[in-house]
Amino acid sequence: RLAILPSTGGPPRILGDTLVSVYLTWAGGREVAYPVRNQVNIRLRDPETGEERLLLEQDQPSIRAPVASPDGTKLAVWRSGYTYTGLWSYSLQDGSAVHLTEPGQEWHPVGWSLEGDRIIARDSREGGFYWIHMDGNEPTDIPGPELDGMDCVPHDREGGLVWVCTEEHSFSDVWMVENFDLDRG
């Protein structure tokens, strides 16, 4: 379910009983965009009024990783299924769509350029990041930092790209069980 948590504390406000997938994003000012459970269709909901509308009027193949453009007019998503596979951009006003990548490429959106004319996408098969141009130009490689053991994502902001990174740490515990009897189950 979709919930709004106030930054000042207090209980969450549950917005209806819609089953939401794990992917959601703020979109176009006040609305939250999310694929419904099973990742078909995209809904937009205004958390203040509770009003909800469908961005896509029909069931679509698997939709993941929605990312709103900086001006709130477009939504980049990854879709998979037969002829629909690829990176898409949807107008948040009328739902019109532009297919931006060739089938077979698994480039998931992670952000937008400040100008809203390019999408930052991650190649989920080979790693690496690319600028996907809205004008149809060929994708451009985004060179990343060489950090061993770190997972990084670029973010476009004034002054250029910055990389937000996480470092994975593994922890383990060793346990000893005494008098364990395999026959007792």
Side-chain angles (χ1 to χ4, degrees), residues 90-105:
Y90 287 93
S91 165
L92 288 169
Q93 283 72 42
D94 63 15
S96 60
V98 178
H99 193 185
L100 298 168
T101 59
E102 298 295 321
Q105 295 172 324

Side-chain angles (χ1 to χ4, degrees), residues 155-168:
H155 178 71
D156 194 19
R157 53 189 267 181
E158 289 194 33
L161 285 176
V162 295
W163 292 83
V164 178
C165 303
T166 62
E167 184 176 24
E168 186 174 324

Side-chain angles (χ1 to χ4, degrees), residues 42-137:
I42 292 181
R43 294 185 186 188
L44 298 164
R45 179 169 240 163
D46 183 327
E48 297 303 318
T49 65
E51 290 181 39
E52 184 177 70
R53 65 184 172 101
L54 282 173
L55 180 61
L56 305 177
E57 295 293 333
Q58 59 194 9
D59 286 346
Q60 299 290 321
S62 180
I63 297 172
R64 295 183 296 252
V67 180
S69 63
D71 64 2
T73 62
K74 296 180 285 287
L75 191 68
V77 300
W78 165 256
R79 287 174 51 186
S80 63
Y82 306 117
T83 59
Y84 299 107
T85 298
L87 181 63
W88 290 74
S89 173
Y90 287 93
S91 165
L92 288 169
Q93 283 72 42
D94 63 15
S96 60
V98 178
H99 193 185
L100 298 168
T101 59
E102 298 295 321
Q105 295 172 324
E106 290 197 24
W107 292 350
H108 296 231
V110 297
W112 287 79
S113 66
L114 284 175
E115 300 81 18
D117 61 342
R118 297 171 293 165
I119 297 168
I120 300 171
R122 177 178 226 153
D123 182 339
S124 65
R125 288 188 177 160
E126 298 181 21
F129 293 90
Y130 294 85
W131 286 114
I132 308 300
H133 303 271
M134 296 297 292
D135 62 9
N137 285 334

